[in-house]
């Protein structure tokens, strides 16, 4: 049986159902050993809470990496999400060079923006560093807002196929080998993902649910990573991740006062079924 080990690098938001508290259970449920490198520790995520604490762990990364190198610890995949600082992005690039096995999948979710805006902690310098990191990825998984920041394109909520193709072409020009662009909607009530793989486009359309939840980008990228490492094709992984994310949003719809994240735990069984 193939048993793979993936490293995920992103923050711990202690409360808020995002980043590591989502990636670790989801990728583990996919049957993949999941090693973690916390980029920062926050009391909550930054989207909607105020007064959160933030401890940057950039300083710890070189020693952690050196220890892994000494122990010969390498990974079959490295998946990065929300990173704590611009400087940290460069260290993560070094992790790709030093700790990824030959042929490992490098997956970058440039988790930095949504709905036309950067998250509060980030600025243009961070965006520029993220462009470089995306250039080293086998798969980048932006939403449309992130794709616009990465490609210096005006953000639009109404667009056509030419606009989306333009974003993908510019993302590929950064050096990313494959692109999975999420939240692409061409008709009312539907949304979907564009998968650009080895120069070929495909589109997976699924239902658009009105109760959008925070943290679904992290759920999506985690399920994509788990599926890919389980041996699914990139398109199948994009599809499974989309179907699972829809299930998470549906599971959250009936909950009172649950604006900060999605109830991904209660539908983990469905993700496991999808992988069979
Ligand atoms: O879900 C992305 C994310 C991850 N981590 C932190 C965040 C956010 C989005 O706002 O604030 C700390």
């Amino acid at each position: 049986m193939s048993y793979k080990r993936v490293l995920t690098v992103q923050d711990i938001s202690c409360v808020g159902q995002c980043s590591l508290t989502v990636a670790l259970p989801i990728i583990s449920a996919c049957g993949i050993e999941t090693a973690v490198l916390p980029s920062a520790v926050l009391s909550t995520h930054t989207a909607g809470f105020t007064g959160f604490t933030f401890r940057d762990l950039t300083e710890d990364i070189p020693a952690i990496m050196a220890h892994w190198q000494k122990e010969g610890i390498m990974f079959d995949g490295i998946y990065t999400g929300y990173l704590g600082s611009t400087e940290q992005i460069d260290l993560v690039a070094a992790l790709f060079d030093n700790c990824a096995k030959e042929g490992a999948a490098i997956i970058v979710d440039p988790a930095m923006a949504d709905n036309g805006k950067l998250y509060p902690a980030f600025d243009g310098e961070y965006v520029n560093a993220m462009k470089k990191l995306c250039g080293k990825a086998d798969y980048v998984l932006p939403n449309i807002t992130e794709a616009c920041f990465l490609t210096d394109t005006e953000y639009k909520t109404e667009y056509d196929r030419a606009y989306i193709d333009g974003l993908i072409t510019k993302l590929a020009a950064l050096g990313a080998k494959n692109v999975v662009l999420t939240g692409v909607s061409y008709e009312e009530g539907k949304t979907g993902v564009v998968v650009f793989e080895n120069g070929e486009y495909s589109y997976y359309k699924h239902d658009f649910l009105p109760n959008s939840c925070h943290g679904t980008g992290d759920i999506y990228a985690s399920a994509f990573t788990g599926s890919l490492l389980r041996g699914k094709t990139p398109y199948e992984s994009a599809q499974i991740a989309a179907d699972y994310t829809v299930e998470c949003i549906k599971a959250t719809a009936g909950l009172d006062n649950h604006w900060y994240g999605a109830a991904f735990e209660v539908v983990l069984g469905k993700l496991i079924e999808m992988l069979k």
Side-chain angles (χ1 to χ4, degrees):
M1 187 193 114
S2 118
Y3 181 58
K4 300 255 172 77
R5 176 163 63 193
V6 72
L7 169 68
T8 182
V9 189
Q10 44 193 315
D11 71 282
I12 298 179
S13 286
C14 300
V15 171
Q17 286 174 313
C18 70
S19 39
L20 272 188
T21 65
V22 162
L24 182 54
I26 290 179
I27 304 172
S28 300
C30 293
I32 308 296
E33 179 185 344
T34 312
V36 300
L37 179 45
S39 58
V41 179
L42 295 87
S43 49
T44 63
H45 63 63
T46 66
F49 294 101
T50 51
F52 45 82
T53 68
F54 180 88
R55 181 173 298 276
D56 180 16
L57 298 178
T58 305
E59 253 179 42
D60 293 18
I61 295 180
I64 291 174
M65 183 166 66
H67 181 218
W68 288 344
Q69 285 184 274
K70 185 166 150 281
E71 295 292 321
I73 294 171
M74 306 277 279
F75 302 97
D76 300 292
I78 301 183
Y79 149 45
T80 69
Y82 187 106
L83 299 174
S85 66
T86 302
E87 189 196 345
Q88 195 169 88
I89 298 183
D90 292 333
L91 290 171
V92 167
L95 268 175
F96 293 169
D97 294 336
N98 297 327
C99 299
K101 284 186 192 164
E102 184 79 32
I106 302 293
I107 300 157
V108 173
D109 174 7
M112 60 182 183
D114 207 358
N115 299 317
K117 288 203 208 96
L118 280 179
Y119 294 145
F122 300 138
D123 58 13
E125 201 194 334
Y126 186 91
V127 173
N128 285 334
M130 189 55 86
K131 287 181 188 173
K132 280 201 277 167
L133 195 68
C134 288
K136 295 184 79 109
D138 296 310
Y139 300 92
V140 284
L141 281 72
N143 58 34
I144 294 185
T145 303
E146 288 154 351
C148 288
F149 277 106
L150 289 169
T151 61
D152 302 302
T153 305
E154 186 197 347
Y155 173 71
K156 293 185 181 170
T157 48
E158 283 183 20
Y159 45 76
D160 56 11
R161 168 86 199 251
Y163 175 78
I164 296 298
D165 288 357
L167 285 177
I168 302 253
T169 306
K170 287 187 252 172
L171 286 166
L174 292 176
K177 293 193 191 67
N178 304 290
V179 178
V180 179
L181 182 62
T182 59
V184 177
S185 169
Y186 294 119
E187 62 186 279
E188 188 114 355
K190 296 279 173 193
T191 187
V193 273
V194 177
V195 182
F196 180 73
E197 191 198 350
N198 300 324
E200 301 273 328
Y201 287 78
S202 31
Y203 180 60
Y204 179 62
K205 184 166 77 171
H206 58 86
D207 284 343
F208 173 79
L209 300 171
N211 63 310
S212 81
C213 309
H214 182 264
T216 48
D218 301 348
I219 291 173
Y220 186 89
S222 302
F224 176 87
T225 300
S227 304
L228 192 73
L229 270 282
R230 265 290 287 270
K232 300 289 178 194
T233 66
Y235 182 76
E236 286 166 343
S237 304
Q239 192 174 2
I240 289 170
D243 291 345
Y244 176 59
T245 306
V246 169
E247 291 300 332
C248 294
I249 300 173
K250 279 190 199 155
T252 314
L255 303 177
D256 282 340
N257 204 19
H258 199 96
W259 56 270
Y260 55 82
F264 70 95
E265 305 87 346
V266 293
V267 284
L268 271 175
K270 293 196 180 185
L271 174 61
I272 294 168
E273 279 301 310
M274 291 174 199
L275 286 167
K276 281 190 180 150

